[in-house]
Amino acid sequence: MSAAGVGDLVLRVDGRRPVSAAGVEEVLRLCDRAEDGYKAGVFVAYVSGAPLPGWTAALDVGLLTKWERAVRRLERLGLTTVAVAAGDCGGTALDVLLATDFRIAVPGVRLVPPIEGEATWPGMSLFRLARQGGLSAGLRRAALLGTPVEAATAGLVDVVAEEPDSVLAEVAAAAAAFTGKELAIRRQLLLDAVQYSFEEALGAHLAACDRALRRGAAS
């Protein structure tokens, strides 16, 4: 197995388009490639666009369940996942953006929780917005009223850059040194930290430390 470089694993998500079976299959296909062919490196998602009126017309809970599971699988990949965002990001684009490890945005990117019917869409992007960004005034307005929020001020992107490709290359170079399973363990420890107490988290951290010590001794 080799390391995935920029361009090896690329997902393009247009948030103007609703969730579809083809979109689910594309995410799963790339996750299969990532898991079967690469032990390290980057998975890159280019995200942009926000839903158009009527975007939920062909949706059902079964399709949404498949989409959320596919995004969750991407979120737990044993590779560094990187989003490159442009313009307004809502719907599927926002889902994928919030599921990645490292986020690069060009200037002017806005996060746009979609509105359907009487309220904002209650998908898992709401969960990730609250878990990752807290409940700041701007994010509360976004989550409850659909008010777009500037990505640069929301604390949900890592870098705002006119030339995102150069930042992406730097991230890819750094990620090449980290093996997949170990990275996935560290990511899970970070995700768990916002909901577990010190005492609840201690066992998992010590187990990860023990694993690292054993790997070091073996090498």
Side-chain angles (χ1 to χ4, degrees), residues 2-86:
S2 60
V6 175
D8 292 338
L9 295 167
V10 175
L11 175 68
R12 298 185 185 278
V13 183
D14 184 349
R16 296 172 299 179
R17 298 176 180 174
V19 175
S20 67
V24 172
E25 288 302 315
E26 177 68 2
V27 174
L28 294 178
R29 182 184 68 81
L30 286 168
C31 287
D32 284 341
R33 281 191 59 207
E35 291 170 351
D36 294 342
Y38 300 95
K39 66 178 182 179
V42 293
F43 181 113
V44 183
Y46 290 92
V47 299
S48 64
L52 302 174
W55 69 283
T56 62
L59 294 185
D60 59 51
V61 172
L63 179 57
L64 289 170
T65 299
K66 292 177 181 178
W67 170 252
E68 295 291 6
R69 288 176 176 170
V71 175
R72 179 61 169 163
R73 186 174 171 194
L74 186 157
E75 188 173 37
R76 302 177 76 174
L77 277 181
L79 297 178
T80 300
T81 54
V82 184
V84 180

Side-chain angles (χ1 to χ4, degrees), residues 1-217:
M1 296 177 73
S2 60
V6 175
D8 292 338
L9 295 167
V10 175
L11 175 68
R12 298 185 185 278
V13 183
D14 184 349
R16 296 172 299 179
R17 298 176 180 174
V19 175
S20 67
V24 172
E25 288 302 315
E26 177 68 2
V27 174
L28 294 178
R29 182 184 68 81
L30 286 168
C31 287
D32 284 341
R33 281 191 59 207
E35 291 170 351
D36 294 342
Y38 300 95
K39 66 178 182 179
V42 293
F43 181 113
V44 183
Y46 290 92
V47 299
S48 64
L52 302 174
W55 69 283
T56 62
L59 294 185
D60 59 51
V61 172
L63 179 57
L64 289 170
T65 299
K66 292 177 181 178
W67 170 252
E68 295 291 6
R69 288 176 176 170
V71 175
R72 179 61 169 163
R73 186 174 171 194
L74 186 157
E75 188 173 37
R76 302 177 76 174
L77 277 181
L79 297 178
T80 300
T81 54
V82 184
V84 180
D88 284 354
C89 289
T92 54
L94 182 59
D95 288 340
V96 171
L97 172 70
L98 295 176
T100 56
D101 297 321
F102 193 88
R103 297 95 183 251
I104 306 167
V106 300
V109 166
R110 301 192 307 170
L111 309 182
V112 186
I115 297 174
E116 176 56 30
E118 300 173 331
T120 52
W121 184 246
M124 289 303 288
S125 59
L126 285 186
F127 172 86
R128 292 187 176 95
L129 279 173
R131 189 170 187 178
Q132 299 173 21
L135 292 176
S136 68
L139 287 180
R140 284 201 309 276
R141 288 194 299 273
L144 297 176
L145 302 177
T147 306
V149 57
E150 294 289 337
T153 62
L156 293 170
V157 297
D158 298 277
V159 176
V160 177
E162 293 279 0
E163 300 293 336
D165 287 348
S166 61
V167 180
L168 180 57
E170 293 174 5
V171 176
F178 294 91
T179 59
K181 188 169 184 179
E182 294 305 307
L183 181 142
I185 290 172
R186 305 309 187 272
R187 180 195 296 127
Q188 192 59 51
L189 292 174
L190 284 173
L191 292 174
D192 290 344
V194 299
Q195 60 181 332
Y196 293 149
S197 69
F198 178 91
E199 289 74 17
E200 290 171 322
L202 179 59
H205 281 262
L206 290 176
C209 290
D210 181 61
R211 176 182 169 84
L213 291 172
R214 291 175 183 272
R215 287 172 61 84

